[in-house]
């Protein structure tokens, strides 16, 4: 792992001396990419993967509020995607309105939007709000709140799948 991280830094610096800021930027980028993996796993109902990435991110110092905000951001994008799609907006216009620069991010969001009904999205928003309030009021610590949230979001889907 260390060798891979050093190789990333060498490539990033492209022949010049590696500075402290380079390390911060590369770590920050990797950290952000891992957050997206965790968020996608949650939204794709992959509890084991989501829990694994959640624990890794928390161990690496990610703030629970940041992780919750990133999950909320993606849910908000899914809701906006559903709304724009139902209004007949073309995909390019959806991409523009969401501010997505990559085709991959657009495809991922469109796929996630197809997976969720509006009633399910309302449930997810309620759980996100409950988690946010739990952290802010001190009802539960951030780590415990996120663990509960991930488990509930994935379990609720599994229950609704088995009952349908």
């Amino acid at each position: 792992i260390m060798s891979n991280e050093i190789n990333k830094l060498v490539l990033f610096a492209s022949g010049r001396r590696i500075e402290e800021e380079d390390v911060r930027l590369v770590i920050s980028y990797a950290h952000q990419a891992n957050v997206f993996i965790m968020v996608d796993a949650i939204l794709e109902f992959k509890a084991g993967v989501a829990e694994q990435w959640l624990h890794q991110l928390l161990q690496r110092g990610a703030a629970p509020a940041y992780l919750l905000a990133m999950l909320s951001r993606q849910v908000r994008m899914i809701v906006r995607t559903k709304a724009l799609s139902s209004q007949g907006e073309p995909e390019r216009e959806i991409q523009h309105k969401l501010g997505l620069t990559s085709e991959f991010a657009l495809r991922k969001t469109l796929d996630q939007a197809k997976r969720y009904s509006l009633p399910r999205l309302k449930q997810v928003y309620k759980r996100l709000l409950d988690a946010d309030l739990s952290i802010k009021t001190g009802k539960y610590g951030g780590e415990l709140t996120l663990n509960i949230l991930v488990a509930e979001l994935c379990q609720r889907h599994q229950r609704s799948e088995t009952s349908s």
Side-chain angles (χ1 to χ4, degrees):
I1 293 172
M2 186 64 89
S3 176
N4 285 336
E5 295 305 311
I6 291 169
N7 286 337
K8 284 182 204 173
L9 278 167
V10 168
L11 288 170
F12 182 78
S14 25
R16 64 177 170 71
R17 182 173 179 246
I18 296 172
E19 302 291 333
E20 186 176 338
E21 183 62 19
D22 296 327
V23 175
R24 277 197 201 106
L25 288 170
V26 170
I27 289 172
S28 174
Y29 176 76
H31 186 75
Q32 190 176 27
N34 293 339
V35 169
F36 290 125
I37 293 169
M38 181 203 70
V39 167
D40 287 344
I42 293 168
L43 295 173
E44 294 167 10
F45 316 109
K46 297 175 181 174
V49 174
E51 289 167 0
Q52 176 187 356
W53 281 106
L54 172 63
H55 292 287
Q56 284 185 21
L57 288 162
L58 290 169
Q59 285 176 345
R60 293 178 186 167
Y66 168 71
L67 299 177
L68 183 60
M70 293 302 288
L71 177 57
S72 299
R73 174 189 172 274
Q74 188 63 25
V75 171
R76 208 170 29 256
M77 289 181 66
I78 291 169
V79 170
R80 289 187 64 206
T81 298
K82 282 191 91 57
L84 293 168
S85 293
S86 71
Q87 295 167 5
E89 292 283 350
E91 288 182 3
R92 287 284 171 220
E93 191 60 27
I94 293 171
Q95 183 175 7
H96 175 72
K97 287 184 177 181
L98 293 178
L100 297 174
T101 55
S102 97
E103 185 73 24
F104 175 78
L106 174 65
R107 289 275 146 244
K108 187 74 107 163
T109 305
L110 287 167
D111 289 344
Q112 289 169 341
K114 289 175 187 169
R115 228 177 263 132
Y116 282 86
S117 66
L118 284 177
R120 174 69 179 146
L121 287 167
K122 285 181 183 180
Q123 289 176 345
V124 172
Y125 262 129
K126 168 113 178 57
R127 286 302 305 128
L128 291 169
L129 175 61
D130 291 345
D132 190 43
L133 290 173
S134 290
I135 292 171
K136 288 179 178 170
T137 62
K139 180 178 179 182
Y140 300 115
E143 189 170 334
L144 177 59
T145 298
L146 289 176
N147 278 306
I148 292 169
L149 177 65
V150 169
E152 286 182 349
L153 290 179
C154 292
Q155 276 187 345
R156 284 186 180 177
H157 174 73
Q158 290 167 353
R159 274 193 222 131
S160 67
E161 284 295 303
T162 56
S163 64
S164 14

